[in-house]
Amino acid sequence: MELLLNPNVAYLLLVSGFLLAILALFSPGTGLLEIGALFSLLLAGYSVYSLPINAWALALLVVGVIPFVVALQRWKRWPFLLISVAALVIGSIFLFRVADGVAVHPALAVLVSVLSVGLMWLVGRKGMDAVVRPSNHLMRLIGMVGEARTGIYREGTVYVDGETWTARSGAAISAGTPVRVTGRDGLVLVVEPVATSVP
């Protein structure tokens, strides 16, 4: 348990837990991301509870999300993205309070912040593109054949037309099974195994 009281380890667990939780929201159905997020956040929770925190650094981390959201809405708002990265780096370095110096190594904070913002930028842009994409794009998927990427019963993921989609089915479908899109419910595709479809 001494390892969990290292501020660098606590920081990595905290960031990885939040990233896994966000990724789980964008690609539900596997359960692995959810379990990883829960495990990381529980360990990080123990660390955060045991280590003293600078409230101003925590506030800076929270406020740093606002310029990121603004930058996400338009491609040409790079200054907001840079402000977000700077806020995350500074907040990360000073998150945990120590008697002298900084608790989280600055190089680690810079690397993790840049990688996290980059990953969230890609995930956020893909999510926004899917939301604003015309519904006729989804309608043209009906009738197409793809492949179940995970086991599907009620919910899972499929690969159709070069993209991974959240899907649901009334019947249990194992991973790797060819599936046909029979409908949609918002951004969720309704699928059935190809073998059971009516020609």
Side-chain angles (χ1 to χ4, degrees):
M1 291 304 234
E2 284 296 317
L3 182 64
L4 296 178
L5 299 180
N6 181 321
N8 292 303
V9 174
Y11 170 66
L12 285 174
L13 286 170
L14 190 62
V15 171
S16 63
F18 279 116
L19 287 177
L20 288 171
I22 291 169
L23 291 173
L25 291 174
F26 281 95
S27 58
T30 63
L32 295 176
L33 293 173
E34 291 86 349
I35 291 169
L38 180 63
F39 185 68
S40 293
L41 289 174
L42 284 174
L43 291 176
Y46 171 78
S47 300
V48 169
Y49 178 77
S50 303
L51 294 168
I53 292 181
N54 285 316
W56 67 267
L58 182 60
L60 187 60
L61 287 172
V62 172
V63 170
V65 173
I66 296 169
F68 176 79
V69 172
V70 171
L72 197 58
Q73 294 175 359
R74 292 207 168 71
W75 284 101
K76 297 193 178 191
R77 296 199 176 173
W78 289 104
F80 289 101
L81 194 60
L82 295 176
I83 291 168
S84 178
V85 170
L88 291 176
V89 168
I90 294 168
S92 299
I93 291 171
F94 295 101
L95 180 61
F96 299 106
R97 190 171 52 235
V98 292
D100 55 338
V102 293
V104 175
H105 195 283
L108 178 66
V110 169
L111 179 66
V112 169
S113 297
V114 169
L115 290 176
S116 299
V117 168
L119 178 64
M120 289 299 95
W121 176 264
L122 291 174
V123 169
R125 288 306 307 174
K126 287 282 188 185
M128 289 181 69
D129 288 346
V131 168
V132 299
R133 184 176 294 162
S135 61
N136 60 0
H137 173 73
L138 292 171
M139 293 305 292
R140 75 175 181 80
L141 294 175
I142 296 175
M144 287 190 172
V145 174
E147 181 181 288
R149 284 288 168 97
T150 65
I152 303 170
Y153 182 64
R154 296 198 178 109
E155 194 170 276
T157 57
V158 295
Y159 187 76
V160 179
D161 194 34
E163 296 183 77
T164 301
W165 296 88
T166 300
R168 66 178 170 84
S169 173
I173 301 173
S174 58
T177 302
V179 294
R180 175 171 284 118
V181 180
T182 60
R184 71 179 185 93
D185 183 11
L187 295 176
V188 177
L189 301 181
V190 180
V191 298
E192 65 182 7
V194 169
T196 62
S197 62
V198 179

